[in-house]
Amino acid sequence: MNNNRIFPIISPIIAITSALIVGAILILIAGANPITAYTALFTESLSTYFGFGNTLTKMAPLLLTSTGVLLALKAGQFNIGGEGQIYFGALGSALVGLYVQAPGFIHVPLALLAGFIFGAVWGFIPGYLKAMRGINEVITTLLLNYIAIDLISYLVQNPLKEANAPSPYSPLIAKSAQLPIIIPGSLAHGGILLALIAVLIVYIVIKRSTLGYQITAVGLNQTASNYAGISVQPTIMLVMAASGGFAGLAGASEVMGLKYRLFEQVSPGYGFDAIAIAFLSRGSVLGLVLNSLFFGALRSGANVMQRSAGAPVTVIYAIQGLTVLFIAIALALEPKLRRDTT
Amino acid sequence: MAYLRLENITKQFGAFIANDNINLCVESGSIHAILGENGAGKSTLMNIISGLYQPDAGKIYLQEQLITINSSADAIKLGIGMIHQHFMLVPQLTVTENIILGTSKNINLNLRQKQVEIKALSQAYNLEIDPTAKVENLPVGTQQRVEILKVLYRHAKLLILDEPTAVLTPLEVKSLMTILRQLAANGHTIIFISHKLEEVINLCDTVTVLRRGKVVATTTTQQTTSQQLAELMVGRQVSLHLNKKSVASGEIVLSVKDLQVKDNRGVTVVKNISFELHAGEILGIVGVDGNGQRELAEALARTGVKVGYIPEDRQKTGLILQFNIAQNLILKAFKNPPFSRCGLLQQEAIKSNAVSAMEEFNIWAPDVNVKVGQLSGGNQQKIVLARELAGVPKLIIAMQPTRGLDIGAIEAVHQRLLAQRERGAAILYISTELEEVMAMSDRIAVMYKGEFVDILDAANATVEEIGLLMGGVER
Amino acid sequence: MNNNFLTDYLASTLRLSVPLAYAAMGGLFSERSGVLNIGLEGMLLTGAFTSAAATFYSGNVAVGICAALIAGGFVGLVHAFLCVTLRVNQLVSGLAINLVAGGLTSFLGRLIFSGSTQRLPVVPAIKIPILANIPVSGILFEQDILVYLLFLIIALTTYFLFYTNPGLNLRAVGEYPSSADTAGISVTLVRYVAVVTGGCLVGCGGAYLALVQINYFTEGMSAGKGFIAIASLIFGRWHPIGSALACLLFGATEALQLRIQALGVNIPYQFLTMLPYLVAMIALIGGMGKSTPPAALGVPYERNSAGKNI
Amino acid sequence: NNQTTTSTSNFKIAIALPGVISDKAWNQSGYEGVQLAKQKLGVETAHVEKVSQPDQTEVLSDFARRGYNVVIAHGGQFDAAIQQIAPQFPNTFFIGVNGNVSGANIASLRIDHLQASYLCGIIAATMTKSNKLAYIAGQEFQATQEELRGFELGAKSLKKDIKITSTFTGDWNDVAKAKEATLALISTGADVIYQWLDSASATVLQTASDKGVYAFGNTNDQLEIAPKAVLTSAVKHLDVAITYLAELAQKKELKGEVYKLGLERPDILTLGKFSDAVPQALQKQVLSVKQQIIDKKVRF
Ligand SMILES: Nc1ncnc2c1ncn2[C@@H]1O[C@H](COP(=O)(O)OP(=O)(O)OP(=O)(O)O)[C@@H](O)[C@H]1O
Ligand SMILES: Nc1ncnc2c1ncn2[C@@H]1O[C@H](COP(=O)(O)OP(=O)(O)OP(=O)(O)O)[C@@H](O)[C@H]1O
Ligand SMILES: [Mg+2]
Ligand SMILES: [Mg+2]
């Protein structure tokens, strides 16, 4: 009985340790000091004031996007399009931030809403194509990523570009549309709270609401749901739109809380990290929060390790990959270990 | 001589003992029946013989040689062929591809030549089949034939058939019996599992009854009766006969005029069907599988009236196997009070609904949180019934409601439906089990190629007459 | 001049399609056996790196190609071990492979190729007499060994899948593993072989990228081609020829957009770079839509639930 | 190798790079800049590579918080982040390379890209037979636009009707695409190509060489890569430029302005070796225009 409680904690720790050991070897080969690097990684990203702020800053888009992925997953849909939906959400909020004038208490929600809606549109399209036309959502969401990225690139370079900017980005959005900083002096902004609220909402919807029941039913068995009178196709479209909407919120929070403008590379791959996070969480909303925090720490720790220990970025990427891999292995082995010990 | 002998076979799943010290002896050239309730451990035992599972203890002797079977490949090499309860056919492949799967060490498929071989084989055993058809487009009865051919093609000497007749029409059952007798006469040894006691008595030489994983009796079919077997299986008295009260038929609940239904490929599969159905009446629909019954049922189930629909395939269309009992029971009503308030699920109401349904319908499970996928077919079916009847439906469409169930469960289903009839529900009872339909129904419609060839009065109809109509012979 | 333009266009289309097609074929083997493979990107990169490194040290392109084959197969083996034996979530395994491969190849690339530009020998083109002289399309017969090999692989894969026993086994395993298992086929073995073979093919695609197309290795040079290959695979409905054609479509629109830019047409370049994806999207919507994946794709096989509620 | 080293001077500079330090071009030049500064000025250095845009503020502020005296942001895309961060850290000087910002503690370092590409334009216009020139870069932004404009102005100063087409691949990493883009340009008739790419640079030059057309090197003197194709190179010694600004900062002489460094600093911006294909007369002409630019007789 005791084992059941310990394994979920122990096995990820073993996994992370193994990844770090392999990483240490690589860091040594690269001529840096692994101990310095790891000290930096952990103390900075989790225990120092600013470091933790940075971790939270990274966590916000990851948590929002992975929430979307998880929601889609509940309805049996693979949303690989988080990336493009982030870009679109960023666009939506930037447009409202740039062209609408309103007091903060209206402007912020309005811009967030716009971010949600823009992301939702980008999620709805594959949802519609899947539900009504049976077109595989993996391919459409993937393709829409590229289209969104190019589209935003065009917009920030042409109509939305700040005059005289050396690089494509928009002017600053209105002060009233900016999210507040929640840890003074650091970069951690209101987007983190937004993400936590979003997760809470999704948790309640999935666990407690009839809508969540409906979504889960559709995800598990479309035929049976259909016979029971559940409208399967609208559910899929709704879920895909909402999934895109959450990713859109991630884009919006990056624009409104971090950069205060629309810029070219809104997401350096959050969409793909989010997929890994959602799957590693195995449907658990708490897992989503913890994994996002962990990935956030890993991502912000990457910068820290470079800065203070000179560990090359290539090694850090390898360590990140290995960590994901080893955690996945640990999770897969967990039931077996449990069986063997009981 | 014993062809197959099992000694103290034990198989556990976790803490659950599915097979408990089983001893079994199957004579060479005989047809041996295994009987038992849903979940008694029949399939588990057969899976051990066919190499899919490994026993935790015990020995297997084939022709008095101690053997170990580590995989299906081993079993096939030893001449053991099994037709699984849930078909092991790849729907996306053709009949030929399914039959030859895994049999050849050659690189080349030689599909043409194999098709010819299979055509010949099928004709030799009177199992008519189109070798080029895709399995997913075939009716279940035909799929069963493919399964049998698959085993024969592998030259199995010991044939295990796990509930092969559950999906066959009476005619098909008859021809299967002939084939099995012929095979036994040719020296094949056969293990036959069925919930239909008549079949067992008619076909088999010996019978072993399992209950809760243990052998409770082994006897010859000559020395026993259906009634005795039933009691051995269930461990209590079972009534094998329905006592159907007469109910005065009421208002017209359903009136169908010139119904046409196209399937998803655009072929008209239901043609010009017209009938009326009264409250308190059971209209049975019989016909060879694949004559439009399913499409008719689905079309009617969608009419929007308060309809209770018991679909043919409880695992795919009736239930969400990953949901627990309580969740499955609200599948149709989850948006309504008392299960939902302000869009939130009311766990208390859902749970108490499940508890009372389990009690009322005799659903056996440790508690309401058990995943439905882990229940036996009988219990799964009872959940479907409990849910579909909960809304006090005016019309009930029951499609193959007893398929694969043990006699205890069948009895329960029948009683439920008859109770609904007495309450005043109109019932459409669709089945390939001719005798069952005749016992249950007030009137019987015979369906052939999408049409009702005739509607008969159940009291006066004979099996022969209906059998001919089902075959498309007009009066 | 006009002929040249067409010939160049054709050649460019081909070159852009080849690495995609290798990756798509590799993915096809894996996914037809029921193992999701989102790690094509990482496998391409691995192939590109190892082929460049092996050629760099040995001075022999054949050694480079073999190394890419082996390395790709090795990554496939890792993926198979994770997905088939350990039953790790297949999507996560693929994503992790991409991350690790990206990091490791860059890391090793810096160790090996630091300083000087790599000078790798070229893979010689083999002219097929007569055919190569046909105007315009003759260019198809003036290619290097890897291109011919690809044509052969596409043909062989088609033959293998639909006309051979092992191919039948592969399809059965991908659609309904319990069925294959009860027919005496080892699901594990088939999946291992398929994923490893697939890895080898993707590795080859990487070798083409590094040795033929570019002639040196750079960090992250797969640049998303693995994902386009996945899109092609789905687009081509997991059929070798369909997938190859889908790759060709991507290659052709890419080559086209580069030519539109080169002709100085006044369209913002972002609209041109998105063209291949847009065209694919339109083609999907315009009726070439439905594609059903192998039924068991992404589902680890466990015998104890054989025949049960899958 | 790239570890933090302590030194007596106690002056610390750091650089944030958008790409990888091994790209043999833009990012590598920035990295080499701080290495050179470390060597020449004895300062302590640090770097972070592959800084994505969402990470910019974090990286800049973290360096500042750690007491780095100079934080260099290597690329115009950092400008917005610099403006956002710099006011919070008055004791740190921020330098945006290729940037366009200035302030109390913000300086920008711009190489006058136009000047070198203008000279290349002159050479290209003389050497072309098809009267079609081409420009290829990874992405379009101010610096690449400026270079394109310089190239265009230079070419048109000789031949009014000359045609210049540009291609942007949209992905600095996609080397294969860059190569195909080059081939596409060549097949539409362009016979002199000016490129600004990083990892893909070499393949473009080699492709030009294979196809028998001319090209220019960029950033480094790339004549060696394809001696038959490369006419000359627009050599930008960003490392020297960075060291120069770092030195100013160390001496407390750095001002909050845009430092535009051009041909007047041959140690920073100059033309590379000419290939033999460039006739002596043309070389002379180009060098004299170069002098005119230095003397501010030619302005843009
Ligand atoms: N894969 C499994 N994992 C765990 N338990 C199982 C598994 N398969 C069967 N069991 C257990 O073994 C018991 C016997 O199952 P089995 O399939 O042999 O029944 P059966 O006699 O064939 O029933 P039916 O008449 O419904 O086909 C079940 O009640 C179940 O609890
Ligand atoms: N994965 C599983 N884990 C535990 N028990 C299982 C599992 N799958 C099946 N069982 C058990 O196996 C027994 C028989 O299952 P099976 O699917 O054969 O039911 P059945 O009554 O034959 O259904 P059907 O109507 O489909 O023939 C059931 O009692 C069920 O509890
Ligand atoms: Mg069974
Ligand atoms: Mg059964």
Side-chain angles (χ1 to χ4, degrees):
Chain A
M1 201 60 235
N2 242 348
N3 282 327
N4 286 355
R5 291 183 186 285
I6 292 172
F7 272 118
I9 305 163
I10 293 263
S11 50
I13 289 178
I14 295 175
I16 294 167
T17 314
S18 325
L20 291 181
I21 291 171
V22 178
I25 298 168
L26 296 180
I27 295 177
L28 275 175
I29 296 175
N33 184 344
I35 297 173
T36 329
Y38 288 153
T39 317
L41 172 66
F42 286 108
T43 54
E44 290 279 331
S45 62
L46 291 172
S47 72
T48 70
Y49 184 80
F50 294 108
F52 189 63
N54 288 336
T55 297
L56 289 183
T57 313
K58 294 253 103 184
M59 176 185 169
L62 291 174
L63 184 51
L64 279 164
T65 314
S66 58
T67 302
V69 176
L70 186 81
L71 188 64
L73 214 52
K74 285 278 172 197
Q77 307 302 308
F78 285 116
N79 180 7
I80 312 286
E83 203 72 1
Q85 291 145 12
I86 292 174
Y87 275 80
F88 250 67
L91 172 64
S93 64
L95 288 178
V96 171
L98 286 170
Y99 298 116
V100 175
Q101 277 168 354
F105 68 94
I106 297 175
H107 209 173
V108 167
L110 206 62
L112 288 175
L113 184 69
F116 186 88
I117 290 173
F118 271 61
V121 166
W122 221 234
F124 175 80
I125 297 171
Y128 172 84
L129 291 173
K130 174 68 181 294
M132 308 308 287
R133 307 279 305 279
I135 302 176
N136 189 308
E137 79 281 9
V138 176
I139 176 171
T140 47
T141 48
L142 195 61
L143 291 173
L144 286 174
N145 282 345
Y146 294 101
I147 295 174
I149 292 169
D150 277 329
L151 210 58
I152 303 308
S153 164
Y154 164 74
L155 290 174
V156 289
Q157 193 144 317
N158 297 287
L160 294 180
K161 187 174 177 244
E162 180 174 70
N164 274 329
S167 174
Y169 49 74
S170 79
L172 282 173
I173 59 169
K175 269 255 164 351
S176 53
Q178 297 178 0
L179 290 173
I181 296 290
I182 54 166
I183 300 184
S186 82
L187 297 169
H189 54 80
I192 293 120
L193 300 181
L194 182 72
L196 290 173
I197 293 168
V199 157
L200 195 66
I201 291 173
V202 167
Y203 176 79
I204 292 170
V205 166
I206 291 175
K207 288 275 165 190
R208 300 253 174 272
S209 78
T210 50
L211 180 63
Y213 176 92
Q214 178 173 335
I215 291 169
T216 319
V218 169
L220 291 174
N221 187 339
Q222 290 193 14
T223 323
S225 303
N226 191 20
Y227 275 102
I230 295 173
S231 18
V232 170
Q233 293 163 333
T235 309
I236 290 177
M237 291 189 274
L238 175 82
V239 166
M240 283 299 284
S243 173
F246 283 115
L249 278 182
S253 92
E254 292 287 283
V255 166
M256 296 163 62
L258 184 65
K259 304 286 281 187
Y260 308 127
R261 45 178 112 227
L262 184 61
F263 50 108
E264 206 171 12
Q265 187 195 21
V266 183
S267 164
Y270 294 142
F272 288 101
D273 279 1
I275 297 168
I277 291 172
F279 273 92
L280 288 177
S281 305
R282 291 182 296 180
S284 145
V285 176
L286 181 67
L288 220 52
V289 177
L290 291 179
N291 276 316
S292 299
L293 181 71
F294 178 68
F295 268 71
L298 219 53
R299 290 283 181 226
S300 77
N303 293 332
V304 174
M305 276 161 77
Q306 285 193 71
R307 279 195 296 266
S308 47
V313 72
T314 53
V315 172
I316 294 164
Y317 284 138
I319 294 176
Q320 286 173 345
L322 289 170
T323 314
V324 174
L325 205 60
F326 288 160
I327 292 181
I329 293 172
L331 292 179
L333 287 181
E334 206 183 279
K336 274 185 206 156
L337 291 174
R338 219 177 266 185
R339 220 175 293 147
D340 290 349
T341 50
T342 45
Chain B
M1 185 194 68
Y3 192 80
L4 175 78
R5 197 156 59 78
L6 304 182
E7 240 180 54
N8 301 324
I9 295 286
T10 297
K11 175 74 184 173
Q12 275 183 275
F13 294 109
F16 180 84
I17 305 175
N19 287 160
D20 190 358
N21 254 310
I22 290 194
N23 289 292
L24 183 72
C25 186
V26 182
E27 292 298 317
S28 192
S30 73
I31 305 181
H32 189 109
I34 310 271
L35 281 177
E37 284 182 288
N38 292 127
K42 307 179 294 291
S43 299
T44 305
L45 188 64
M46 297 305 114
N47 283 334
I48 289 172
I49 302 171
S50 67
L52 208 54
Y53 291 170
Q54 266 59 59
D56 299 321
K59 293 187 178 120
I60 305 174
Y61 295 89
L62 195 71
Q63 294 180 300
E64 296 303 343
Q65 299 262 316
L66 181 64
I67 52 165
T68 48
I69 312 170
N70 288 318
S71 65
S72 303
D74 284 358
I76 292 167
K77 270 196 217 106
L78 291 164
I80 301 171
M82 172 154 172
I83 296 169
H84 292 262
Q85 182 174 357
H86 300 277
F87 288 164
M88 290 296 174
L89 298 173
V90 185
Q92 295 83 355
L93 300 183
T94 65
V95 169
T96 306
E97 287 172 327
N98 265 292
I99 291 176
I100 65 171
L101 183 62
T103 56
S104 174
K105 293 271 168 282
N106 283 346
I107 291 292
N108 259 321
L109 265 185
N110 287 331
L111 219 45
R112 285 269 163 70
Q113 184 202 328
K114 297 282 154 84
Q115 279 164 4
V116 174
E117 279 174 31
I118 282 157
K119 190 84 202 165
L121 185 72
S122 74
Q123 278 159 353
Y125 284 98
N126 238 333
L127 293 161
E128 202 50 46
I129 196 96
D130 170 13
T132 59
K134 246 194 187 178
V135 165
E136 63 187 346
N137 298 332
L138 296 177
V140 255
T142 318
Q143 293 190 13
Q144 177 71 273
R145 260 178 265 167
V146 181
E147 281 280 20
I148 297 171
L149 283 171
K150 200 168 140 187
V151 175
L152 294 176
Y153 186 81
R154 276 148 230 258
H155 304 295
K157 298 301 276 180
L158 172 64
L159 272 69
I160 302 169
L161 294 93
D162 194 350
E163 291 188 41
T165 56
V167 292
L168 300 186
T169 60
L171 270 179
E172 289 171 320
V173 171
K174 224 177 218 168
S175 85
L176 177 67
M177 301 255 187
T178 319
I179 293 159
L180 294 181
R181 284 200 192 97
Q182 184 190 331
L183 285 170
N186 290 348
H188 289 84
T189 306
I190 294 167
I191 298 179
F192 183 84
I193 298 178
S194 174
H195 290 297
K196 295 172 194 164
L197 304 173
E198 293 302 326
E199 283 174 4
V200 170
I201 301 259
N202 286 340
L203 175 71
C204 304
D205 306 309
T206 42
V207 47
T208 296
V209 182
L210 296 186
R211 190 158 78 227
R212 311 240 164 106
K214 287 197 176 87
V215 176
V216 291
T218 297
T219 147
T220 63
T221 46
Q222 272 143 5
Q223 290 170 333
T224 187
T225 63
S226 300
Q227 193 63 40
Q228 280 174 340
L229 287 176
E231 278 158 28
L232 278 170
M233 276 167 64
V234 188
R236 64 174 163 89
Q237 288 268 328
V238 207
S239 92
L240 290 180
H241 293 281
L242 292 168
N243 43 17
K244 202 170 95 186
K245 294 197 185 99
S246 65
V247 178
S249 70
E251 42 162 336
I252 294 175
V253 174
L254 178 70
S255 164
V256 177
K257 266 229 157 68
D258 293 330
L259 181 69
Q260 312 265 352
V261 180
K262 286 194 172 121
D263 70 1
N264 47 16
R265 278 171 296 166
V267 184
T268 309
V269 282
V270 174
K271 292 172 210 150
N272 307 322
I273 282 189
S274 305
F275 66 92
E276 283 175 349
L277 189 56
H278 296 261
E281 184 190 28
I282 298 184
L283 173 66
I285 298 179
V286 292
V288 176
D289 209 9
N291 273 286
Q293 297 100 313
R294 187 192 312 134
E295 289 80 3
L296 173 66
E298 285 175 4
L300 295 178
R302 278 187 235 273
T303 46
V305 211
K306 270 177 92 181
V307 181
Y309 179 46
I310 297 149
E312 175 182 35
D313 187 339
R314 52 181 163 268
Q315 301 209 339
K316 287 203 188 91
T317 48
L319 295 165
I320 294 179
L321 296 176
Q322 300 90 333
F323 269 178
N324 64 31
I325 297 175
Q327 287 169 317
N328 267 292
L329 282 169
I330 59 164
L331 193 58
K332 266 185 155 171
F334 69 94
K335 278 186 186 158
N336 308 336
F339 306 130
S340 155
R341 218 170 282 149
C342 311
L344 292 183
L345 291 173
Q346 303 301 310
Q347 299 300 344
E348 282 307 306
I350 293 168
K351 193 177 167 191
S352 69
N353 170 62
V355 170
S356 61
M358 283 174 71
E359 207 174 271
E360 195 190 332
F361 282 81
N362 254 327
I363 299 168
W364 185 89
D367 67 281
V368 300
N369 294 321
V370 172
K371 297 241 179 335
V372 161
Q374 299 188 346
L375 298 178
S376 73
N379 284 308
Q380 290 178 348
Q381 189 69 317
K382 286 179 199 163
I383 292 171
V384 176
L385 274 171
R387 185 184 68 217
E388 296 300 318
L389 304 184
V392 198
K394 283 193 155 169
L395 172 66
I396 298 167
I397 300 167
M399 177 114 191
Q400 307 283 15
T402 61
R403 179 174 280 177
L405 300 190
D406 67 43
I407 42 169
I410 292 175
E411 189 191 9
V413 171
H414 284 167
Q415 277 169 5
R416 287 289 153 201
L417 289 174
L418 287 178
Q420 290 295 315
R421 169 174 169 268
E422 280 160 37
R423 176 182 64 79
I427 299 176
L428 215 56
Y429 194 99
I430 306 169
S431 174
T432 49
E433 303 291 335
L434 193 46
E435 279 163 30
E436 213 179 292
V437 176
M438 289 177 67
M440 288 288 289
S441 312
D442 300 303
R443 286 186 298 152
I444 299 173
V446 184
M447 209 167 171
Y448 180 72
K449 292 205 170 154
E451 288 181 273
F452 278 1
V453 282
D454 207 345
I455 301 184
L456 310 166
D457 193 7
N460 309 326
T462 64
V463 178
E464 288 69 28
E465 186 185 8
I466 295 177
L468 284 176
L469 286 169
M470 279 167 63
V473 183
E474 301 243 2
R475 276 197 295 193
Chain C
M1 161 77 203
N2 244 347
N3 251 1
N4 261 345
F5 186 83
L6 268 182
T7 311
D8 283 352
Y9 176 63
L10 210 63
S12 176
T13 299
L14 191 65
R15 276 190 306 266
L16 285 165
S17 313
V18 167
L20 295 180
Y22 266 112
M25 286 305 124
L28 185 131
F29 271 91
S30 171
E31 301 212 340
R32 274 284 187 170
S33 81
V35 180
L36 206 62
N37 197 342
I38 207 123
L40 296 180
E41 180 77 2
M43 292 178 171
L44 268 178
L45 211 45
T46 309
F49 167 74
T50 40
S51 67
T55 310
F56 182 71
Y57 283 124
S58 69
N60 185 336
V61 285
V63 174
I65 293 172
C66 287
L69 213 75
I70 294 167
F74 176 74
V75 181
L77 188 67
V78 171
H79 189 54
F81 178 68
L82 292 168
C83 298
V84 181
T85 304
L86 297 182
R87 303 203 184 91
V88 167
N89 182 296
Q90 299 178 3
L91 209 71
V92 174
S93 170
L95 287 171
I97 283 176
N98 288 342
L99 282 172
V100 177
L104 275 186
T105 54
S106 306
F107 174 71
L108 295 172
R110 283 186 197 180
L111 287 186
I112 293 175
F113 306 121
S114 65
S116 64
T117 2
Q118 315 145 38
R119 286 279 174 191
L120 304 178
V122 283
V123 181
I126 304 168
K127 244 188 179 170
I128 296 181
I130 306 172
L131 289 177
N133 295 331
I134 305 171
V136 187
S137 60
I139 191 76
L140 293 177
F141 306 100
E142 234 175 287
Q143 300 291 331
D144 54 275
I145 182 84
L146 281 172
V147 176
Y148 297 127
L149 195 63
L150 176 65
F151 288 135
L152 196 67
I153 285 168
I154 294 169
L156 281 181
T157 306
T158 313
Y159 177 76
F160 171 81
L161 269 185
F162 302 107
Y163 299 98
T164 71
N165 274 304
L168 177 63
N169 296 355
L170 180 70
R171 281 185 291 149
V173 166
E175 297 286 357
Y176 192 3
S178 318
S179 162
D181 191 4
T182 54
I185 298 163
S186 164
V187 175
T188 308
L189 182 70
V190 168
R191 289 195 167 167
Y192 261 91
V193 171
V195 179
V196 171
T197 311
C200 292
L201 291 181
V202 192
C204 257
Y208 182 84
L209 208 54
L211 295 184
V212 178
Q213 217 166 356
I214 303 304
N215 232 22
Y216 56 83
F217 172 79
T218 67
E219 294 179 26
M221 73 187 296
S222 54
K225 291 182 171 48
F227 289 102
I228 300 302
I230 291 167
S232 308
L233 185 55
I234 302 172
F235 199 3
R237 299 170 193 205
W238 289 270
H239 190 290
I241 293 174
S243 306
L245 289 176
C247 293
L248 207 58
L249 176 74
F250 276 110
T253 35
E254 185 78 273
L256 180 68
Q257 71 91 356
L258 291 173
R259 269 158 188 78
I260 298 175
Q261 282 200 56
L263 286 170
V265 178
N266 203 8
I267 302 173
Y269 77 91
Q270 290 92 346
F271 290 105
L272 292 169
T273 49
M274 79 166 75
L275 194 65
Y277 315 110
L278 214 55
V279 167
M281 204 63 199
I282 290 166
L284 277 173
I285 296 168
M288 313 178 61
K290 270 204 171 147
S291 75
T292 328
L297 186 58
V299 191
Y301 177 63
E302 252 177 303
R303 182 178 279 176
N304 262 2
S305 58
K308 295 288 178 191
N309 334 312
I310 314 167
Chain D
N1 45 358
N2 45 13
Q3 284 206 40
T4 343
T5 47
T6 33
S7 69
T8 43
S9 77
N10 238 349
F11 194 80
K12 303 201 290 183
I13 66 174
I15 189 164
L17 304 155
V20 296
I21 56 171
S22 55
D23 67 353
K24 303 201 166 56
W26 179 251
N27 293 287
Q28 190 162 349
S29 68
Y31 174 68
E32 282 164 1
V34 292
Q35 295 304 103
L36 186 67
K38 175 158 129 188
Q39 196 189 342
K40 282 184 67 176
L41 312 174
V43 296
E44 189 183 324
T45 66
H47 74 274
V48 182
E49 47 180 327
K50 287 198 102 162
V51 176
S52 64
Q53 292 191 23
D55 286 353
Q56 290 169 344
T57 38
E58 179 211 323
V59 171
L60 297 185
S61 57
D62 193 69
F63 275 136
R65 203 173 292 121
R66 283 163 194 275
Y68 280 85
N69 308 75
V70 175
V71 175
I72 302 163
H74 201 58
Q77 64 266 52
F78 282 90
D79 269 18
I82 293 176
Q83 282 174 313
Q84 194 179 330
I85 294 301
Q88 300 168 32
F89 300 96
N91 295 327
T92 299
F93 226 110
F94 291 87
I95 299 174
V97 184
N98 252 353
N100 214 1
V101 280
S102 52
N105 59 337
I106 305 174
S108 285
L109 166 61
R110 293 190 73 81
I111 302 286
D112 209 334
H113 300 288
L114 255 82
Q115 295 182 341
S117 65
Y118 182 87
L119 297 179
C120 292
I122 292 173
I123 300 173
T126 316
M127 300 297 291
T128 179
K129 292 193 188 81
S130 64
N131 258 358
K132 275 188 186 163
L133 310 182
Y135 178 81
I136 175 170
Q139 261 175 315
E140 192 175 7
F141 48 76
Q142 196 178 9
T144 53
Q145 280 166 340
E146 274 179 5
E147 240 189 14
L148 171 58
R149 201 164 70 87
F151 189 57
E152 220 165 341
L153 288 175
K156 294 211 164 146
S157 71
L158 287 195
K159 293 185 180 169
K160 277 244 151 14
D161 58 340
I162 204 159
K163 212 176 156 230
I164 296 152
T165 52
S166 60
T167 293
F168 299 96
T169 60
D171 185 344
W172 293 91
N173 271 332
D174 200 336
V175 189
K177 197 160 156 185
K179 173 168 181 172
E180 293 305 329
T182 312
L183 285 165
L185 287 168
I186 295 170
S187 82
T188 55
D191 63 355
V192 187
I193 298 171
Y194 191 99
Q195 52 85 25
W196 190 1
L197 292 160
D198 37 49
S199 307
S201 193
T203 197
V204 172
L205 298 180
Q206 277 159 5
T207 306
S209 174
D210 292 346
K211 289 280 168 181
V213 303
Y214 293 122
F216 293 98
N218 201 334
T219 311
N220 297 322
D221 193 335
Q222 293 180 310
L223 185 64
E224 303 303 320
I225 293 177
K228 278 199 299 185
V230 175
L231 295 171
T232 186
S233 306
V235 180
K236 302 161 190 169
H237 282 292
L238 273 161
D239 48 349
V240 178
I242 286 170
T243 310
Y244 167 63
L245 287 205
E247 195 174 2
L248 286 182
Q250 198 181 22
K251 290 193 280 191
K252 304 258 180 277
E253 285 167 13
L254 189 63
K255 294 198 222 44
E257 62 185 38
V258 177
Y259 287 82
K260 204 163 191 181
L261 305 175
L263 291 168
E264 74 284 354
R265 290 286 306 259
D267 57 336
I268 289 172
L269 180 65
T270 185
L271 285 186
K273 291 193 281 289
F274 286 107
S275 90
D276 299 339
V278 185
Q280 289 297 328
L282 179 57
Q283 293 187 16
K284 268 206 194 107
Q285 183 193 351
V286 169
L287 291 177
S288 88
V289 177
K290 182 179 163 196
Q291 196 51 48
Q292 287 172 353
I293 294 173
I294 295 171
D295 298 343
K296 306 234 155 71
K297 281 177 197 145
V298 175
R299 286 163 186 274
F300 307 104

